[in-house]
Amino acid sequence: MAKPAGQIGDEMRRLLLGAFALLIAGAGPVAAAPKPAAPVDPMADNASALAPAGDTASRIAFAYADRDADLLVSWEEYRNRAMRLFGKVDTNGDGILQAAELQALAGPKGPKEVNDIDLGTFNAALRKHFDDGDANKDGALTPAEWRNVVRPSKLF
């Protein structure tokens, strides 16, 4: 016979209580998950750490890319930010930034002659800009290095 919603049988109750008892009596305290770092707000008083990144727009872009708030933008963070931007510009979702999409992004003051950019070309350019900007070759961009690198929002 089916039990009404919200009720469990005696066997299931025993299993759950046994599992709970094992958790309580287990091999010692459970380590707490590491607390995520608080992001540095580029518009707040704690933004001095971002000052080397440049102007306000550059500090905001750095803080947005630095997902783990460690004041370093890794290749993965840099590429992920760029891919989010790529997806927003690639309005038809075909994996190619077409001239019309790029011109719509650039607006009337943008270049008139624009070539399509496929994902492979975009990634190669992105990697080159990241590597060129990583002056100390540690695999991450500091705010000072960020100031001199072409940010993903400026690639197209």
Side-chain angles (χ1 to χ4, degrees):
M1 181 172 139
K3 306 255 185 265
Q7 289 187 352
I8 59 174
D10 289 337
E11 186 174 307
M12 181 59 82
R13 183 175 286 112
R14 279 193 297 274
L15 285 172
L16 290 173
L17 288 174
F20 184 67
L22 286 173
L23 286 173
I24 291 173
V30 176
K35 184 177 179 182
V40 176
D41 181 351
M43 305 302 285
D45 292 337
N46 66 351
S48 61
L50 295 178
D55 62 9
T56 301
S58 293
R59 291 191 304 267
I60 291 169
F62 184 94
Y64 181 71
D66 183 19
R67 302 301 270 189
D68 62 3
D70 64 353
L71 291 176
L72 295 170
V73 174
S74 67
W75 162 246
E76 182 179 331
E77 290 170 323
Y78 185 76
R79 184 175 181 283
N80 287 346
R81 178 172 188 269
M83 293 312 300
R84 285 190 299 275
L85 293 171
F86 186 100
K88 287 181 181 183
V89 176
D90 182 18
T91 56
N92 66 3
D94 66 353
I96 297 172
L97 298 180
Q98 296 166 336
E101 293 167 328
L102 293 167
Q103 288 168 336
L105 173 71
K109 294 183 180 181
K112 301 301 177 216
E113 297 295 319
V114 183
N115 295 320
D116 293 351
I117 302 172
D118 64 61
L119 194 53
T121 302
F122 181 80
N123 275 312
L126 191 66
R127 186 70 212 208
K128 179 176 179 2
H129 288 293
F130 181 88
D131 290 344
D132 288 350
D134 184 14
N136 63 4
K137 304 302 179 206
D138 67 350
L141 301 173
T142 64
E145 290 170 329
W146 182 265
R147 180 183 204 129
N148 298 316
V149 75
V150 176
R151 285 163 304 285
S153 58
K154 301 292 183 188
L155 279 177
F156 40 87

